[in-house]
């Protein structure tokens, strides 16, 4: 989110081949409150059920340098 009032809202995934692209969303209040510009670390859990074994590469849609690999046996 853009400041300390932002909160995790939702996450979506798009699978193409063995690559899964994640996109996270946040909510932001519009009531005019003062919010710190110091951004907290937001965490949002994504549960993935692999339909087949193999190696899956997760990539952030916003920043391709954020990746993780999941090996399913």
């Amino acid at each position: 989110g853009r400041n300390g009032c932002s909160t995790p809202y939702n996450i979506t995934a798009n699978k193409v081949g063995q690559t899964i692209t994640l996109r996270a969303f946040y909510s932001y209040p519009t009531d005019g409150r003062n919010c710190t510009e110091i951004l907290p670390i937001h965490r949002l859990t994504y549960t993935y059920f692999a339909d087949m074994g193999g190696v899956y590469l997760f990539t952030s849609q916003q920043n391709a340098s954020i990746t993780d690999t999941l090996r399913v046996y």
Side-chain angles (χ1 to χ4, degrees), residues 11-56:
I11 193 166
T12 62
N14 183 36
K15 180 179 175 187
V16 177
Q18 296 297 96
T19 300
I20 301 164
T21 302
L22 302 176
R23 187 171 184 192
F25 298 89
Y26 66 91
S27 63
Y28 180 77
T30 58
D31 58 8
R33 71 180 79 173
N34 290 325
C35 300
T36 179
E37 292 300 317
I38 300 172
L39 298 176
I41 296 174
H42 297 298
R43 298 185 189 279
L44 193 60
T45 302
Y46 174 73
T47 304
Y48 177 73
F49 296 98
D51 52 356
M52 295 177 57
V55 177
Y56 294 88

